[in-house]
Amino acid sequence: MKYLFLPLLLLATHAFAARVDTILVHSGAMNKDIKCVVIQPEHAPTTKTSTNSTRFPVVFLLHGHSGNYAQWPATAPQLKKEADDLGILFICPDGGFDSWYFDSPIDPTVRYETFMTKEL
């Protein structure tokens, strides 16, 4: 009976081969680094200098008010499987506590719309 569970355990550990990384992306508009979670399919290149020209569709997942970049992998663990199955990159940027991903007309250091549309 002990040996029956070993193959099931091995299958479960390989079910989600997608990589989940946290990266820093510098925003020149805000003069700071923004944390982003990137969920990439198993077959995505692993280095920045890779000569692999494989392209992937990208889905940006934005958190809501008072959330943060790290909540998506915990809230939606199926994203790793979907990244592999569909060949999609998921990018989950941090939008601050209450920026709503807009450029503030009052505070010039809050430029999340510029970050999302031009820098990321």
Side-chain angles (χ1 to χ4, degrees):
M1 189 55 116
K2 290 181 191 178
Y3 300 107
L4 177 63
F5 294 108
L6 184 58
L8 293 176
L9 180 61
L10 292 175
L11 287 174
T13 59
H14 187 65
F16 304 114
R19 290 186 305 275
V20 179
D21 295 310
T22 299
I23 63 170
L24 292 175
V25 178
H26 184 75
S27 169
M30 293 187 280
N31 196 28
K32 66 179 180 178
D33 292 334
I34 308 292
K35 288 184 179 181
C36 300
V37 167
V38 178
I39 303 169
Q40 41 187 326
E42 175 184 24
H43 54 278
T46 58
T47 63
K48 289 190 276 187
T49 59
S50 175
T51 57
N52 187 339
S53 62
T54 304
R55 297 176 62 102
F56 296 94
V58 177
V59 174
F60 293 94
L61 298 174
L62 309 181
H63 64 77
H65 184 272
S66 75
N68 68 41
Y69 67 98
Q71 77 183 49
W72 278 107
T75 304
Q78 73 275 16
L79 292 174
K80 292 189 283 185
K81 182 177 181 334
E82 290 176 7
D84 278 342
D85 290 350
L86 302 173
I88 293 175
L89 286 172
F90 290 101
I91 300 179
C92 314
D94 192 21
F97 183 80
D98 60 354
S99 76
W100 301 104
Y101 297 94
F102 286 112
D103 287 351
S104 172
I106 299 167
D107 186 352
T109 64
V110 178
R111 315 294 297 171
Y112 285 96
E113 181 178 352
T114 298
F115 172 70
M116 290 294 303
T117 59
K118 295 187 167 81
E119 298 176 332
L120 187 58

